[in-house]
Amino acid sequence: MTQSNIVVTNSGKLQGLSENGLCVFKGIPYATPPVGDLRWMPPQPVKPWSGVRPAIQFGPICPQLIMPSVIPGRKPSIEPQSEDCLYLNIWTPGLDDEKRAVMVWIHGGAFTNGSGSSPITPGETLAKRGGIVMVTINYRLGSLGFLNLREITGGKIPATGNEGFLDQITALRWIYDNIAAFGGDPENVTVFGESAGAESIGALLAIKESQGLFRKAILQSGASKAQPLSQAFSVANNFLTQLGLSAKDVDALRALSIETIKKAQLKLAEAGASGVSGGTLGPVQDGEILKGVPLDIIENGSAREITVIAGSNLEEGKLFAKMGPDFHDLDEAGLYKRVERLLPQQHTSVMIEKYRKALSKRDLQVTPFEIYVAIMGDQHFRMPNIRLCEIQENFGTPAYGYVFTWKSVIAELGACHALDVGFIFGTLTSEFEGNGSAARRLSETMQDSWLAFAKTGDPSTAGLTWPVYGKDRWMMVLGESSHAESAPYEAERAAWDGLANKFLG
């Protein structure tokens, strides 16, 4: 630590570290700890401190269940956990007036896992390569951040089920107010995230309170997700059942230990995995913070000024097939039953046949397994990203689409969900992504495009011209040989024409 690493923020003075040529500040509080009576409450402003606060180690992460990773080469990150988890971290090339572009990473993890300090997504990678200011954040997860208790308790606990989003907005507001002291430009902030991180950004694009806090957004595998209020009520009821409590036991709820909450959350997740309705924690169309389906709100112009990159991986669903039941033995009857869980029954047969025909043009054996994971992955991830590009195109706002086609070294996973993250952060492994020269070249290509976009709003680089999505549906194909292509995998995309946004994500 040196005296030069002291920064004055609106909350007080911070002292960081010098690491690998960067000034690094870890564990910066951006809100009052949401503990005690503040459990399930909106985040409160951080309380100022006196003197100089050390910012030299990461803060605790949100309480979560640490599950074995299904991704080879990746071990679960064991980090200290606490309800006192609302911290952010900053990596910057200099504490000066350079007004560098700012990139804010919102981590994924199905709204139940993850952190801004995971070694899988090191903050120094992009800051060092691109000379930008990098920020990562924690936010409340699972039942602490995405459980609607307002309806079931008659407002005695006012949680809407979107407190995690309010945390993200509070962090973004702190960044906007303070990032200039870290050499960043508050008027040039890009948010980016993958999976639940991308779905979070889709929600932020639809939430009024986030307007003005960022100018650009990169959504990797996801853009729209929020359960109806009736479903959120069912989740809350099931959660209380797991705890053996009633809606009247407000004091008992507030007094629950974190371990008890985590055990109830595990039982809830197990019920959801077995097909029980009301078993999934996540964003809520609460009518207050998130007033409907995110893509519908965006379609009404909530984010018409935001330039986006939105894309997905070609075979998203194959990771979930490995995580869940064995879909490889799926027969035709099982295929129809599974797809009926995703779509209204009247669309099931047509969708299956359209995908059967489209997949026959790829280099794979068209089985019920392949059809199901393709439909599932496109519904949850690819189509929301494409719809977002279409919406922004209709407003005349630049949008850039991509499809990530690099295949895992594990043949059965293909270009699966989460495979792209290691490329963005340079954390390639020989067991999952592959780390040969071609993989490293693609990693550098993607990093440089993400950095160019953060700086200028255009992801084109000296080696890669990236056209806007436009009427011709231009997408960047990111793979062994990255190139722009008009309407790739068009038959699969067209199969979703006419289906409402509420069926996506």
Side-chain angles (χ1 to χ4, degrees), residues 165-236:
F165 290 152
L166 294 182
D167 293 343
Q168 295 173 10
I169 292 169
T170 301
L172 288 169
R173 187 170 291 115
W174 191 97
I175 293 164
Y176 184 85
D177 290 341
N178 292 282
I179 205 64
F182 297 86
D185 183 357
E187 301 299 334
N188 190 14
V189 175
T190 299
V191 292
F192 71 124
E194 184 266 348
S195 193
E199 290 164 349
S200 292
I201 294 169
L204 294 177
L205 293 174
I207 296 174
K208 183 178 180 181
E209 287 75 10
S210 71
Q211 291 180 359
L213 299 179
F214 58 91
R215 305 293 176 179
K216 299 182 287 292
I218 304 174
L219 300 91
Q220 302 171 216
S221 301
S224 187
K225 185 174 184 178
Q227 55 191 317
L229 198 54
S230 58
Q231 185 177 340
F233 183 91
S234 178
V235 172

Side-chain angles (χ1 to χ4, degrees), residues 201-467:
I201 294 169
L204 294 177
L205 293 174
I207 296 174
K208 183 178 180 181
E209 287 75 10
S210 71
Q211 291 180 359
L213 299 179
F214 58 91
R215 305 293 176 179
K216 299 182 287 292
I218 304 174
L219 300 91
Q220 302 171 216
S221 301
S224 187
K225 185 174 184 178
Q227 55 191 317
L229 198 54
S230 58
Q231 185 177 340
F233 183 91
S234 178
V235 172
N237 185 61
N238 290 347
F239 185 73
L240 291 177
T241 299
Q242 301 296 347
L243 291 165
L245 297 175
S246 76
K248 297 178 181 180
D249 298 326
V250 171
D251 290 340
L253 270 170
R254 291 198 181 280
L256 288 169
S257 72
I258 282 299
E259 289 308 311
T260 299
I261 288 175
K262 287 165 65 173
K263 287 177 183 177
Q265 191 170 305
L266 176 60
K267 292 179 181 178
L268 191 69
E270 290 171 345
S274 66
V276 175
S277 178
T280 304
L281 291 160
V284 179
Q285 298 171 45
D286 65 303
E288 179 183 329
I289 297 164
L290 194 53
K291 298 181 179 179
V293 176
L295 281 175
D296 286 346
I297 300 172
I298 298 169
E299 205 159 23
N300 287 327
S302 66
R304 63 189 306 161
E305 304 299 325
I306 305 295
T307 305
V308 304
I309 294 176
S312 60
N313 301 352
L314 182 60
E315 299 169 296
E316 297 271 7
K318 289 189 173 180
L319 180 67
F320 299 96
K322 185 175 178 63
M323 294 168 62
D326 188 0
F327 297 125
H328 287 86
D329 296 329
L330 204 63
D331 59 14
E332 286 292 323
L335 169 64
Y336 276 75
K337 187 178 295 185
R338 286 277 174 182
V339 175
E340 283 177 356
R341 294 184 187 178
L342 304 178
L343 298 169
Q345 189 174 6
Q346 65 268 29
H347 296 287
T348 301
S349 296
V350 173
M351 185 66 70
I352 288 172
E353 292 313 311
K354 286 183 176 179
Y355 266 78
R356 196 188 307 276
K357 182 177 180 181
L359 292 177
S360 68
K361 299 177 182 178
R362 295 193 202 173
D363 184 22
L364 51 78
Q365 185 178 359
V366 183
T367 63
F369 164 79
E370 292 286 355
I371 294 170
Y372 174 67
V373 294
I375 292 173
M376 175 182 64
D378 284 2
Q379 185 219 26
H380 285 300
F381 304 109
R382 182 170 179 245
M383 282 312 304
N385 289 105
I386 288 176
R387 287 278 173 94
L388 178 60
C389 288
E390 292 172 346
I391 290 167
Q392 297 305 82
E393 162 63 25
N394 289 336
F395 281 121
T397 303
Y400 299 88
Y402 73 85
V403 56
F404 179 87
T405 61
W406 179 273
K407 293 185 181 294
S408 170
V409 295
I410 301 172
E412 67 179 287
L413 291 179
C416 70
H417 189 69
L419 187 63
D420 54 315
V421 176
F423 287 83
I424 294 299
F425 288 93
T427 50
L428 303 175
T429 65
S430 58
E431 299 97 329
F432 183 45
E433 302 93 349
N435 60 1
S437 59
R440 292 194 295 272
R441 185 168 57 250
L442 175 58
S443 177
E444 292 173 354
T445 294
M446 293 177 69
Q447 289 174 18
D448 288 344
S449 284
W450 266 228
L451 288 162
F453 180 76
K455 293 177 181 179
T456 70
D458 184 342
S460 298
T461 64
L464 200 68
T465 300
W466 194 324

Side-chain angles (χ1 to χ4, degrees), residues 38-61:
L38 294 182
R39 178 186 281 176
W40 289 310
M41 297 294 288
Q44 301 299 306
V46 64
K47 294 178 180 178
W49 57 84
S50 59
V52 180
R53 179 186 177 109
I56 59 175
Q57 61 184 16
F58 294 122
I61 67 175

Side-chain angles (χ1 to χ4, degrees), residues 22 58 90-92 116 118 121-128 132-136 425:
L22 298 170
F58 294 122
I90 299 174
W91 291 259
T92 179
S118 169
T121 55
E124 68 179 55
T125 304
L126 295 175
K128 197 167 181 66
I132 55 92
V133 178
M134 177 73 183
V135 186
T136 66
F425 288 93

Side-chain angles (χ1 to χ4, degrees), residues 54-173:
I56 59 175
Q57 61 184 16
F58 294 122
I61 67 175
C62 183
Q64 55 196 266
L65 297 160
I66 303 299
M67 309 297 285
S69 176
V70 300
I71 298 177
R74 288 191 189 174
K75 295 181 179 179
S77 176
I78 308 300
E79 304 174 79
Q81 298 185 11
S82 172
E83 280 191 87
D84 176 8
C85 62
L86 300 185
Y87 296 94
L88 57 80
N89 316 292
I90 299 174
W91 291 259
T92 179
L95 305 174
D96 48 34
D97 298 323
E98 285 297 310
K99 291 189 174 182
R100 298 172 181 84
V102 180
M103 298 184 74
V104 181
W105 172 252
I106 301 179
H107 70 79
F111 298 103
T112 57
N113 291 87
S115 74
S117 49
S118 169
I120 297 168
T121 55
E124 68 179 55
T125 304
L126 295 175
K128 197 167 181 66
R129 184 174 181 85
I132 55 92
V133 178
M134 177 73 183
V135 186
T136 66
I137 67 173
N138 292 344
Y139 54 97
R140 279 175 286 180
L141 301 168
S143 55
L144 295 172
F146 296 98
L147 176 67
N148 181 293
L149 291 169
R150 182 182 62 185
E151 268 60 41
I152 202 165
T153 66
K156 292 179 181 178
I157 296 179
T160 66
N162 292 316
E163 279 60 42
F165 290 152
L166 294 182
D167 293 343
Q168 295 173 10
I169 292 169
T170 301
L172 288 169
R173 187 170 291 115

